Amino acid sequence: MSDDWRSVTVERARSLILGAAPDIVEEAKWRKASNPDGVPTFSCDGLVCTVETYKDQVKLTFAKGASLDDPSGLFNASLDAGTRRAIDLHEGDVLDETSFAELVREAVARNRA
């Protein structure tokens, strides 16, 4: 990935995720020819979220997002999915970092319940 807004966004999301829940384990999964680096996944007693990079967005997908409280309305994608929910970030978007970290903590707690 080039050093553009997407890489900056991915690194910031990674930092927030790891900072919100120190027990989270990051792994790269689903490597393929079109994406040799794979998809960063974050797990803690089960999958918490993934961070995917596309041409025009960064997608933060929470595996059990439909069961999480989202009072700040961060979820803006996959809203009709049965289990997951996602946050699509485009160039210039500002992520509410406090609310995002709370979603990560809530996802970890949901996995541990």
Side-chain angles (χ1 to χ4, degrees):
M1 176 175 24
S2 64
D3 196 22
D4 64 5
W5 71 269
R6 292 171 299 169
S7 62
V8 171
T9 301
V10 167
E11 287 307 314
R12 187 63 192 139
R14 175 180 282 122
S15 175
L16 291 168
I17 293 164
L18 295 173
D23 294 344
I24 280 188
V25 174
E26 179 182 359
E27 299 176 274
K29 294 187 178 182
W30 309 300
R31 287 187 165 103
K32 56 187 177 182
S34 62
N35 186 9
D37 293 333
V39 174
T41 64
F42 299 87
S43 300
C44 188
D45 294 319
L47 183 60
V48 173
C49 64
T50 63
V51 179
E52 297 173 273
T53 305
Y54 296 95
K55 180 179 178 181
D56 65 342
Q57 69 187 15
V58 172
K59 181 179 282 291
L60 311 170
T61 303
F62 283 75
K64 298 177 183 174
S67 66
L68 302 178
D69 290 330
D70 181 23
S72 298
L74 293 180
F75 291 131
N76 61 5
S78 304
L79 300 177
D80 294 331
T83 305
R84 64 185 170 88
R85 293 289 183 272
I87 302 166
D88 284 355
L89 297 172
H90 298 88
E91 188 170 11
D93 288 351
V94 176
L95 179 63
D96 178 336
E97 295 183 357
T98 301
S99 296
F100 180 72
E102 185 54 40
L103 271 179
V104 172
R105 286 189 288 273
E106 186 181 349
V108 169
R110 174 87 46 204
N111 282 353
R112 290 180 169 163

